[in-house]
Amino acid sequence: MNSLLLVLVFCLSSSFAAYFNPGQEYIYKYETTVSAGSNDYTSFGSIFNITGKIRVQKADASLVTIKLEELLFGAHNGETSFTPTFPEFTTKSYQQLNPLTEPIQIRLDSNNLVESVVLSGNIPEWARNIQRGIATAFQLDSDRAASGQETNFVVEEKTINGECPTVHQVVKTADGVDIRKQRKHANCQNMAIRIRKPGTTAEPCIDENTRDVYNSNGYGSYRVSNFNGVQALTQVNVGSDLIYSVFGSKGHIQYAWQGTSCNLEEIKTSGFTKISAPSSPQTFDNLRYVFQSDFTADDDLATPRPYFFHYDQPATDESVLKVIADRVYVNIKKLADSLDTAKVYDDLTQFHSTSPFAVLPEISSLPYTHLKSLNARINQENDYTVKKLFLDSLVVAGTGPCALLVRDIVGSTTDVRTTANLIGPLPNYIRNPTEKLLVELESLIKPDLPKHNLRIIEFAFASLIGRTCTQYVCKKDYVQKYVNYFSSKYDNGATFEDKTAAVHALRNLGLGGATKKLLQIASDRNADRSIRTAAIAGITKATQKEAEETLLPIYYDKSTHHELRTKAAATFLLNYYDQNIAQQMVILLWGERCKYVKNFMYTFFEGLAYTTRPCQKLHGSHARSILAVFPPWKIDRTLSANYMRDYYDREYNFGHQTTLQVQKNGDSVLPVTIYGSLNGHIAGYGTSYLSFFIRLEGLGKALADRIISMTTGQINFDDLKQVFAKIGVKERTTTPLRIELALNLHNRVVAYHAADASTVTTVPMILKKLQEMKSSYEIELSRMVLLGGVIIEQPTEFGTPISVISSLTAIANLNIKTNREKSGTSISQTSDWNVQGDIFGISKVSNHFPAFGSMHSVTALRTLRSRVPRHFSLNFDYKALTMSFGVDTPTKEDPIMIMTHATALTAIASDKGVQSDNEAVDLLKASCPTCQPTTVISKGVSHRGTRQIGLPEVSKFKIFEGVKRGAKYFDCEKPHTRYDTIKKIMKFAGEQDKNAGKLGIVRAFLALQYARDSIFLSPVTQTCGLKAYYHRDPSAKSIFEKFEGNVQVKYFPDPNKKLGTKVQFKGQLNFKHGGSESQTRTVEVGGQITLTGIEKREVKLRFLAKDPSTQKNMVLCVETNTQMKKAVDFFSFEGENEPTFERKITLKWGEEPAAKNACPENNAFIKAVRKAHRSQDQVEESKSNSWPYKECQEQKGSAHWPGSLTPPTHECMQAAVDQTNLRESNITIEYQVDAEARNRWKKPAVVFAAFLLPYWDTDRSAVTEHVHSTDVETRGDAQYVKGSIEIDVSARKQNPSLDIHWHASHGDEHFHNVDLAAIPGPLKVRPVFSRFSPFFYESFKLGKLV
């Protein structure tokens, strides 16, 4: 055995020590296949294939020469399968492949690894890159493999992707050995990769499911075996793959794969031609892929860089550029048309292709001169939407030429909206921020500009300096110049607005002395609190030590205002989190007396502890331990707080977080400041894409003063103040008015406005201007934004480039046309509204072959469009108190529609532009005549289906005849059953993977947000769409065309009772139908509301529905009487002030009686009576020593108690609210309904009964069989079913419950101790508001009233 092993080692050493034997030629059959596609549903791919021969000769011990010959090319697009058979297509020779036949010389080191490579200087770079890939394949550390001592080892290899650690595995075979190699490209040094993305900050938040979103690997297999009696390298199989799963393992998975095989066919020892050296040889000491285009500091701003990095220059031919400009114009027009009409909803190809992605690559290819010409052409047409989309495209494209045109437009306008839309977001989108661009844009900073225009430009310029001088070393010291400039503006600012604007600019700059200046301002006790707050928020780029030395002393200083303390704490914990310091900050709260600080810190850690956002999960686990040592505390929503609410879908790698910081001071229900931040998360990266800051300090008092001033006509109270001063009355100090609004995009301030008391004096002027509005006006708003995007390019191990494009864009459009007329006391108005919002997503992986300029791609498209057109009219007579209105039903051509569709496809096109697509298509057709240039990944049209969503019986009202409405899945290859739909809804509404806190409204909001995002982001490969629609049905005989109505009101004040009044009203609703069977269905409404004091309310309503098609008139009467006990002391709840409540509701319906305005008698009816009173536990609470009752009793017993005629203290107010919300009530319901209607309620009753089943009292119930198991019986009159229900409610704070007693024809049934805690929030039986209205109660819960 040992001797055999020695022989094998000797053979290996002989063959590998000199990779190939000198004086011999090795001829291999060569084949490379490159594919982009998807296999996760059915196998589709876009493929190109190269075959030929490889000749290998060894000149000396370390020099190997390689030459490719007889090269053929073929392509395929469509359904593919690499096993068991390869797709059939024809291969042909092309002269474009000739550069690949240039010889390659590889210099090997002592381990047979590449030391250097010699390539021809006469061939294009793309060909040299492929030759680098071939050189990568023909290297192997044969000595270590042949030693026989190692079967697994790692070698650092020079490869086309960089210097990569490569794992080797040696496997012995019957006649030789197999050596396998594998490397992960992410581990390569100097990795050959280029990334272009907006200038926004995306924080990596990698979890177990996003680790391999972008997974790129290389592999190789080398077989040494017996070939004609000698040991030789008989097979070389190398390749690489890139797996892109942006939506997780359950979402759409795209791949780019390349495989190369070399099979030894012949070894020649004589009679072969020596391979010559490469022409114009150039030596390279590495094999790293060479990108032909890279951003540099010296880029020409007037000329764009190529869209892809593997080209050295963009299109320069004038005729080509003209074609591109025309296509940009046409595509923008099509995009604008898609916002005005619904044509794209009927064509799925146009639905996806009419998008910003058809504009942005093209506009990125145009130089400055052509963009100027295109701008002039668009301006001549005076189409607002087209012009706005073009301007937004300039910003989003972010090329040098686009930036120059933005400079021209902003420099020639004083319109603040244009300036804000163009220059504000520009720093986020500039592809290559350079010093040359700073020189061009600096000219926009002019002292004579309007204040807000100049401020927006300064903010943008500061951000651009920060980006430029971070990416490149600025030759001119822009950083110091503008640190001094903005510092001077701060030091010399006349108002808090000027100083705060300078702080925001320093924050955007963020380099050099900008951060130090912010640290100084934050620590300056003499600075205004609002200014210090802005400076603290901007401390995000300081060192850890600087942050600790500045922010922590502010937080620990208990004499500092709580707004500054909490802002410093939040800024530190969000940007410089340290576990030990965070724990110290909480421990010190045990001695904290400021409730605002305590509440803020508790809500901060509570939100952080339960966050689902991967970026914060590490801190979240620590925050949960911190809450364990937090002083006893309960969240109080009337105090300052930090609310962090989020969700995260772990299956599909997306989520969203909303953060809200609210500062309060107790003076008003209005907050002092609100800071909101919206944070998105997708594919392992999170970003704060939008945030805002609002200050409303002193607004409550200022508004009250202004209202009094406008009412009395007295504006200046100085004389009155002097009179009071003379008699010793001092003016109470109040918080001065200070209003601020700041908007941030990607953590950069783009807009800031402020106001104080002098500004608010203009409110009457604004109201006057509103009264003078034009009789006709039109409002057009349109905006295109790039929500996120990235382009990544790297090579395959074959040497061809792969590009990965992911992007998300959105368009919002609003068009309002209004005509208004005034005649006497009447005002009439007609309006046309069109609101549209579109979102477009693309994920594309492409293999490029620069020899032909072809691009072989797999693409996932997701498009969501929504449109809501409305035409309505309104007429109001303010003297006669009459109003009429009309709303048109949308037409089929202009419908209300929400539609989303997802699909995936493979394609072949040109990466030089659409103008060259025909060349790529011809290339495909030459190889595969039956192949289409674009194919949808699908099992076929027969596998697609449509399913309506919803309950059809709900939408069978006759008034909606002739209308198509509903929602449905369409074009879906994956079945969507009701079970699937319900399961998704439960996922959206459930608690898992959500941080919703305890408020139901927040949970509902998160569920809606989750559902919206999921519909757009989580579809898998299978084609599928979902749409909701509402429009006229032109094929119907009777078409619902318009809804009209009118109402007249009469008001009767009660002169004897100040709080008594009576209001009568009558109106009519007309449902007009057109078509061949035109008709009008009418509903007449009449009613009366009578108020007697505040303790008695009576409401009477009568509805009369007229249907001409059936000649039947039906009446519904509703009467409610509410009686509450009149209180002598409004804030007392005992004795004569004991609160009680009684409400009677009667519903009667049937055919119209003969008497005018009469209600049906002896017909169907429902009568309900609810009586409520204080429960025993409420009475006991009121006499206890718990808060707030003890405090209120002490206050009432004080000699300083002002009595019942002034507002009570907070404790007595809380006590009154709690005690007058009556927790115990008795409800009696009598009914008489027709049997048919009763049976229609059977299905929902079964669901309700199933819930009640655990509480069923079988001993007292009269039947053993459940009431809903059979059809109901009737009692008395055979036409009606009669019965009664008695409900005893105990809505106590702990363990609320109710008892139900049902008396029906089958007997009696009883349900006891039904747990109300298990009932969903909206359906819960709540305490009765007997004295304070629900609005007052909710307002009091949210905060103290002004």
Side-chain angles (χ1 to χ4, degrees):
M1 176 64 74
N2 291 336
S3 60
L4 289 175
L5 182 59
L6 289 173
V7 171
L8 178 61
V9 170
F10 174 77
C11 293
L12 291 177
S13 300
S14 316
S15 61
F16 276 100
Y19 213 117
F20 300 98
N21 293 326
Q24 295 182 351
E25 181 176 75
Y26 298 78
I27 300 176
Y28 290 84
K29 180 183 178 182
Y30 170 82
E31 182 174 11
T32 290
T33 301
V34 183
S35 174
S38 176
N39 292 327
D40 54 354
Y41 172 55
T42 184
S43 182
F44 272 68
S46 183
I47 302 168
F48 67 87
N49 177 265
I50 299 174
T51 60
K53 304 283 187 181
I54 285 188
R55 296 169 58 201
V56 181
Q57 298 175 3
K58 191 165 188 180
D60 56 39
S62 61
L63 183 63
V64 175
T65 305
I66 298 175
K67 191 175 190 300
L68 286 171
E69 293 181 346
E70 303 177 21
L71 296 179
L72 302 175
F73 176 89
H76 174 85
N77 181 55
E79 191 166 6
T80 60
S81 177
F82 296 104
T83 57
T85 59
F86 194 77
E88 294 184 2
F89 51 88
T90 304
T91 57
K92 296 183 178 181
S93 62
Y94 294 89
Q95 64 178 4
Q96 289 93 330
L97 301 177
N98 290 344
L100 293 177
T101 62
E102 272 283 343
I104 313 165
Q105 289 185 338
I106 305 172
R107 179 69 64 182
L108 302 175
D109 63 14
S110 58
N111 293 321
N112 281 333
L113 298 178
V114 173
E115 186 175 273
S116 62
V117 63
V118 181
L119 306 175
S120 172
N122 294 333
I123 61 175
E125 197 66 60
W126 67 262
R128 284 197 290 269
N129 279 327
I130 290 177
Q131 291 182 337
R132 292 182 177 99
I134 293 172
T136 298
F138 278 89
Q139 62 175 330
L140 194 63
D141 191 341
S142 55
D143 288 346
R144 292 182 68 176
S147 68
Q149 299 177 359
E150 296 181 88
T151 57
N152 290 279
F153 54 90
V154 178
V155 176
E156 188 89 10
E157 290 187 352
K158 292 181 179 180
T159 76
I160 195 165
N161 282 283
E163 291 71 47
C164 304
T166 304
V167 177
H168 288 60
Q169 183 182 27
V170 181
V171 179
K172 288 186 286 187
T173 62
D175 62 344
V177 67
D178 281 353
I179 302 174
R180 299 165 188 170
K181 298 196 300 185
Q182 193 274 335
R183 50 179 158 260
K184 193 172 182 65
H185 293 145
N187 297 331
C188 298
Q189 295 182 21
N190 302 316
M191 183 180 175
I193 190 169
R194 293 293 182 271
I195 299 175
R196 184 172 75 238
K197 60 182 181 64
T200 56
T201 302
E203 181 184 4
C205 312
I206 308 300
D207 63 6
E208 62 278 3
N209 199 32
T210 55
R211 239 183 342 234
D212 294 324
V213 164
Y214 188 91
N215 190 358
S216 178
N217 302 280
Y219 62 87
S221 175
Y222 299 80
R223 169 159 292 187
V224 178
S225 60
N226 188 291
F227 186 86
N228 296 333
V230 298
Q231 288 287 311
L233 182 61
T234 55
Q235 287 184 11
V236 176
N237 294 300
V238 295
S240 59
D241 58 53
L242 188 153
I243 307 298
Y244 190 55
S245 51
V246 66
F247 296 115
S249 58
K250 291 191 176 181
H252 177 54
I253 298 178
Q254 301 165 307
Y255 72 80
W257 172 82
Q258 165 265 319
T260 297
S261 65
C262 300
N263 293 295
L264 184 61
E265 289 188 332
E266 185 179 2
I267 300 176
K268 291 184 178 181
T269 58
S270 62
F272 57 86
T273 304
K274 181 182 178 182
I275 302 175
S276 61
S279 60
S280 302
Q282 296 179 355
T283 302
F284 301 89
D285 62 0
N286 64 72
L287 301 180
R288 196 161 48 252
Y289 182 91
V290 175
F291 294 96
Q292 292 186 258
S293 176
D294 257 331
F295 291 125
T296 68
D298 296 322
D299 276 358
D300 180 9
L301 294 177
T303 304
R305 280 284 182 179
Y307 191 75
F308 293 108
F309 293 99
H310 57 268
Y311 287 120
D312 60 349
Q313 61 180 8
T316 56
D317 184 86
E318 190 63 31
S319 61
V320 173
L321 291 173
K322 185 179 183 304
V323 171
I324 295 174
D326 289 342
R327 196 162 52 248
V328 170
Y329 175 79
V330 170
N331 286 336
I332 288 180
K333 292 275 286 184
K334 289 173 63 177
L335 195 56
D337 184 64
S338 73
L339 300 176
D340 295 332
T341 69
K343 297 176 184 176
V344 294
Y345 289 83
D346 299 324
D347 186 333
L348 284 177
T349 300
Q350 293 297 319
F351 185 79
H352 289 293
S353 63
T354 306
S355 77
F357 302 130
V359 176
L360 297 177
E362 304 284 352
I363 205 170
S364 301
S365 304
L366 292 175
Y368 172 58
T369 53
H370 290 74
L371 286 175
K372 285 180 64 177
S373 300
L374 185 56
N375 182 49
R377 179 181 178 184
I378 289 175
N379 284 335
Q380 287 177 355
E381 294 198 4
N382 199 30
D383 187 320
Y384 172 83
T385 304
V386 171
K387 180 179 179 180
K388 190 64 177 63
L389 290 174
F390 172 71
L391 295 180
D392 288 342
S393 298
L394 294 176
V395 176
V396 173
T399 64
C402 291
L404 291 181
L405 185 55
V406 168
R407 174 207 60 187
D408 296 345
I409 297 171
V410 172
S412 60
T413 184
T414 57
D415 179 45
V416 67
R417 196 169 72 175
T418 300
T419 300
N421 289 342
L422 288 178
I423 202 70
L426 186 65
N428 292 327
Y429 296 128
I430 286 293
R431 294 185 183 181
N432 185 30
T434 64
E435 200 164 347
K436 286 184 177 180
L437 184 60
L438 291 178
V439 173
E440 296 294 339
L441 296 184
E442 191 175 22
S443 61
L444 297 176
I445 301 178
K446 302 173 184 177
D448 58 343
L449 281 174
K451 177 177 70 173
H452 291 296
N453 294 57
L454 179 61
R455 183 176 295 164
I456 291 168
I457 294 171
E458 287 179 343
F459 287 162
F461 195 70
S463 298
L464 198 57
I465 293 173
R467 279 198 64 197
T468 303
C469 298
T470 299
Q471 183 166 330
Y472 302 108
V473 177
C474 292
K475 298 175 183 177
K476 186 178 178 181
D477 197 356
Y478 275 100
V479 174
Q480 191 57 47
K481 175 182 177 181
Y482 278 90
V483 167
N484 295 338
Y485 174 76
F486 293 123
S487 296
S488 176
K489 295 196 79 168
Y490 173 82
D491 295 336
N492 301 317
T495 65
F496 84 94
E497 179 183 6
D498 296 334
K499 289 180 176 291
T500 307
V503 168
H504 289 320
L506 289 167
R507 171 184 177 174
N508 286 357
L509 185 54
L511 296 177
T515 298
K516 292 183 179 179
K517 183 68 176 178
L518 292 175
L519 293 169
Q520 293 173 7
I521 297 170
S523 302
D524 185 3
R525 289 178 171 272
N526 296 320
D528 285 351
R529 171 163 43 87
S530 64
I531 299 172
R532 291 182 68 188
T533 301
I536 291 171
I539 301 175
T540 59
K541 297 181 180 179
T543 64
Q544 182 75 21
K545 182 179 179 182
E546 288 174 334
E548 292 177 8
E549 291 177 348
T550 302
L551 298 176
L552 294 181
I554 297 173
Y555 170 72
Y556 290 136
D557 186 356
K558 295 184 179 181
S559 64
T560 301
H561 193 278
H562 63 80
E563 180 187 350
L564 292 171
R565 295 180 63 195
T566 53
K567 191 64 180 178
T571 302
F572 180 83
L573 292 170
L574 288 173
N575 298 282
Y576 308 95
Y577 193 93
D578 180 276
Q579 293 187 3
N580 294 327
I581 294 177
Q583 194 158 352
Q584 293 172 13
M585 294 171 75
V586 169
I587 290 175
L588 289 176
L589 290 175
W590 283 87
E592 180 62 58
R593 293 186 177 182
C594 180
K595 58 185 179 180
Y596 295 95
V597 173
K598 272 189 174 181
N599 198 70
F600 185 95
M601 296 298 288
Y602 185 85
T603 54
F604 180 93
F605 283 108
E606 187 253 3
L608 186 61
Y610 300 102
T611 183
T612 62
R613 194 179 183 206
C615 296
Q616 297 171 325
K617 290 294 287 182
L618 179 62
H619 299 331
S621 60
H622 182 250
R624 285 193 291 275
S625 65
I626 283 182
L627 287 177
V629 298
F630 204 97
W633 191 257
K634 186 178 180 181
I635 295 177
D636 187 342
R637 303 190 186 279
T638 67
L639 305 176
S640 300
N642 184 98
Y643 302 110
M644 193 179 295
R645 301 295 176 248
D646 48 75
Y647 82 88
Y648 179 62
D649 191 313
R650 301 186 181 281
E651 291 183 323
Y652 295 103
N653 298 344
F654 66 87
H656 194 274
Q657 182 183 78
T658 301
T659 300
L660 206 63
Q661 291 181 8
V662 181
Q663 296 286 349
K664 294 190 176 183
N665 59 11
D667 292 341
S668 167
V669 68
L670 296 175
V672 176
T673 66
I674 304 172
Y675 169 79
S677 175
L678 305 180
N679 306 276
H681 182 98
I682 190 168
Y685 286 86
T687 181
S688 175
Y689 61 89
L690 178 67
S691 56
F692 61 89
F693 174 81
I694 302 173
R695 180 177 294 276
L696 303 172
E697 193 169 357
L699 181 61
K701 180 66 169 60
L703 288 177
D705 290 346
R706 184 55 50 193
I707 292 171
I708 294 174
S709 300
M710 294 172 65
T711 304
T712 62
Q714 180 68 39
I715 302 298
N716 193 333
F717 293 94
D718 291 343
D719 294 340
L720 188 62
K721 291 178 183 178
Q722 291 177 6
V723 172
F724 278 109
K726 290 179 180 179
I727 60 176
V729 177
K730 295 183 179 180
E731 181 183 0
R732 185 178 64 181
T733 58
T734 58
T735 304
L737 177 65
R738 186 162 291 186
I739 300 174
E740 295 179 282
L741 172 62
L743 181 66
N744 300 358
L745 293 179
H746 296 283
N747 294 315
R748 295 186 178 105
V749 183
V750 296
Y752 170 72
H753 299 274
D756 54 17
S758 61
T759 310
V760 178
T761 59
T762 62
V763 169
M765 297 174 60
I766 296 173
L767 295 176
K768 185 178 180 182
K769 288 290 184 183
L770 291 175
Q771 293 173 356
E772 297 172 355
M773 286 183 68
K774 298 177 181 178
S775 59
S776 297
Y777 62 88
E778 183 172 353
I779 298 175
E780 289 184 288
L781 298 174
S782 182
R783 194 71 197 272
M784 177 200 298
V785 295
L786 178 66
L787 300 177
V790 65
I791 296 179
I792 306 172
E793 196 167 319
Q794 74 169 70
T796 64
E797 298 238 345
F798 171 55
T800 53
I802 306 171
S803 67
V804 176
I805 300 174
S806 285
S807 188
L808 195 65
T809 63
I811 296 178
N813 186 69
L814 172 65
N815 193 312
I816 302 174
K817 296 179 181 179
T818 297
N819 293 311
R820 185 185 293 116
E821 295 180 358
K822 185 176 181 181
S823 176
T825 60
S826 176
I827 299 175
S828 61
Q829 174 178 306
T830 60
S831 297
D832 286 284
W833 288 57
N834 188 2
V835 182
Q836 179 134 352
D838 300 343
I839 304 177
F840 308 88
I842 186 173
S843 173
K844 183 176 183 179
V845 176
S846 305
N847 283 310
H848 301 258
F849 192 38
F852 298 104
S854 61
M855 178 171 60
H856 306 257
S857 310
V858 56
T859 306
L861 296 173
R862 286 162 169 79
T863 303
L864 170 66
R865 296 179 185 266
S866 60
R867 63 188 324 272
V868 183
R870 291 277 72 184
H871 174 81
F872 56 89
S873 59
L874 179 67
N875 184 283
F876 177 67
D877 190 318
Y878 53 84
K879 185 176 182 179
L881 293 181
T882 61
M883 181 180 70
S884 62
F885 58 89
V887 181
D888 287 4
T889 305
T891 63
K892 182 180 179 181
E893 295 74 23
D894 193 23
I896 293 177
M897 184 87 76
I898 301 174
M899 176 170 157
T900 183
H901 190 264
T903 190
L905 50 90
T906 60
I908 180 172
S910 172
D911 60 8
K912 295 180 179 179
V914 180
Q915 71 277 358
S916 302
D917 277 352
N918 288 336
E919 299 174 11
V921 174
D922 292 342
L923 197 68
L924 173 67
K925 292 296 185 178
S927 299
C928 182
T930 60
C931 291
Q932 298 301 315
T934 299
T935 58
V936 174
I937 298 177
S938 169
K939 290 183 178 179
V941 177
S942 61
H943 288 79
R944 300 181 193 174
T946 297
R947 190 179 74 77
Q948 203 74 24
I949 303 173
L951 300 174
E953 56 269 20
V954 175
S955 58
K956 289 182 179 178
F957 297 109
K958 289 185 178 181
I959 58 174
F960 293 117
E961 280 184 343
V963 173
K964 285 193 173 182
R965 62 207 178 278
K968 64 180 179 180
Y969 290 106
F970 70 99
D971 196 44
C972 290
E973 297 196 24
K974 178 182 178 181
H976 287 79
T977 64
R978 288 188 177 180
Y979 171 76
D980 294 328
T981 304
I982 293 172
K983 187 176 178 182
K984 285 184 178 180
I985 293 174
M986 292 176 64
K987 177 181 177 181
F988 301 148
E991 296 184 4
Q992 188 174 1
D993 293 328
K994 292 185 190 67
N995 177 23
K998 297 181 180 180
L999 287 181
I1001 189 171
V1002 176
R1003 191 181 305 280
F1005 176 77
L1006 276 179
L1008 290 174
Q1009 189 179 48
Y1010 189 4
R1012 179 203 64 189
D1013 295 346
S1014 182
I1015 288 172
F1016 183 73
L1017 293 174
S1018 68
V1020 289
T1021 310
Q1022 301 96 317
T1023 293
C1024 191
L1026 176 65
K1027 67 179 175 182
Y1029 50 91
Y1030 179 77
H1031 60 81
R1032 301 179 193 178
D1033 182 2
S1035 63
K1037 294 181 179 180
S1038 180
I1039 305 171
F1040 178 39
E1041 294 182 343
K1042 194 171 186 178
F1043 169 63
E1044 293 181 333
N1046 61 75
V1047 62
Q1048 183 176 9
V1049 179
K1050 289 185 179 181
Y1051 174 70
F1052 303 92
D1054 186 346
N1056 300 319
K1057 299 178 180 179
K1058 295 181 179 180
L1059 295 179
T1061 187
K1062 182 168 68 173
V1063 176
Q1064 291 180 343
F1065 61 90
K1066 63 179 180 178
Q1068 183 171 294
L1069 303 176
N1070 299 319
F1071 300 85
K1072 291 194 170 183
H1073 291 70
S1076 59
E1077 297 181 1
S1078 60
Q1079 56 184 315
T1080 299
R1081 291 187 171 94
T1082 302
V1083 177
E1084 295 179 358
V1085 182
Q1088 175 177 297
I1089 300 174
T1090 305
L1091 303 180
T1092 304
I1094 62 173
E1095 65 275 357
K1096 185 177 182 180
R1097 296 190 296 271
E1098 182 180 345
V1099 179
K1100 294 181 179 180
L1101 300 173
R1102 182 178 185 271
F1103 300 88
L1104 171 62
K1106 298 180 178 180
D1107 189 346
S1109 63
T1110 60
Q1111 300 296 317
K1112 285 186 177 181
N1113 297 339
M1114 300 298 293
V1115 174
L1116 168 65
C1117 291
V1118 181
E1119 182 175 346
T1120 68
N1121 291 280
T1122 304
Q1123 178 70 55
M1124 294 174 287
K1125 187 173 182 180
K1126 185 176 182 180
V1128 178
D1129 184 347
F1130 204 63
F1131 302 102
S1132 176
F1133 39 82
E1134 294 176 332
E1136 61 180 349
N1137 298 305
E1138 179 73 31
T1140 60
F1141 175 93
E1142 181 176 350
R1143 173 174 289 161
K1144 298 178 180 179
I1145 303 176
T1146 303
L1147 283 79
K1148 298 179 180 179
W1149 64 91
E1151 294 188 7
E1152 181 184 17
K1156 185 178 181 180
N1157 296 329
C1159 291
E1161 298 294 339
N1162 301 319
N1163 284 290
F1165 67 83
I1166 296 176
K1167 297 179 181 179
V1169 178
R1170 183 174 190 177
K1171 298 181 179 181
H1173 54 273
R1174 284 199 301 162
S1175 64
Q1176 185 59 37
D1177 62 317
Q1178 276 184 291
V1179 175
E1180 293 174 358
E1181 283 179 13
S1182 67
K1183 298 178 180 179
S1184 69
N1185 289 327
S1186 62
W1187 186 91
Y1189 303 105
K1190 178 183 178 181
E1191 288 77 6
C1192 181
Q1193 292 168 3
E1194 293 174 350
Q1195 291 163 3
K1196 285 183 176 181
S1198 169
H1200 301 290
W1201 177 250
S1204 61
L1205 300 180
T1206 59
T1209 62
H1210 175 70
E1211 289 78 11
C1212 287
M1213 184 74 234
Q1214 183 69 58
V1217 168
D1218 285 345
Q1219 288 295 311
T1220 56
N1221 285 348
L1222 308 179
R1223 300 177 198 163
E1224 197 161 289
S1225 59
N1226 307 102
I1227 304 171
T1228 302
I1229 302 173
E1230 295 181 34
Y1231 61 86
Q1232 176 176 292
V1233 298
D1234 62 273
E1236 181 182 355
R1238 178 65 179 81
N1239 283 322
R1240 282 202 302 267
W1241 298 351
K1242 182 178 179 180
K1243 290 182 179 179
V1246 167
V1247 176
F1248 184 62
F1251 171 78
L1252 293 178
L1253 196 58
Y1255 311 102
W1256 191 24
D1257 188 340
T1258 56
D1259 294 333
R1260 295 187 59 194
S1261 296
V1263 293
T1264 58
E1265 187 177 28
H1266 196 273
V1267 65
H1268 297 297
S1269 61
T1270 60
D1271 289 342
V1272 299
E1273 301 176 10
T1274 61
R1275 176 192 296 178
D1277 191 340
Q1279 185 180 356
Y1280 297 107
V1281 175
K1282 300 180 181 180
S1284 65
I1285 301 174
E1286 297 174 357
I1287 304 175
D1288 301 323
V1289 181
S1290 178
R1292 49 186 175 264
K1293 292 182 178 180
Q1294 301 293 330
N1295 303 317
S1297 64
L1298 56 80
D1299 294 341
I1300 300 176
H1301 310 276
W1302 188 0
H1303 309 286
S1305 58
H1306 62 276
D1308 297 337
E1309 291 194 23
H1310 303 272
F1311 303 87
H1312 291 160
N1313 298 317
V1314 178
D1315 185 7
L1316 294 182
I1319 298 177
L1323 302 178
K1324 282 185 179 179
V1325 180
R1326 302 182 183 278
V1328 177
F1329 300 97
S1330 68
R1331 190 172 296 172
F1332 302 101
S1333 70
F1335 173 77
F1336 184 97
Y1337 179 74
E1338 293 299 327
S1339 299
F1340 186 76
K1341 279 172 54 179
L1342 290 174
K1344 299 172 185 175
L1345 297 176
V1346 179

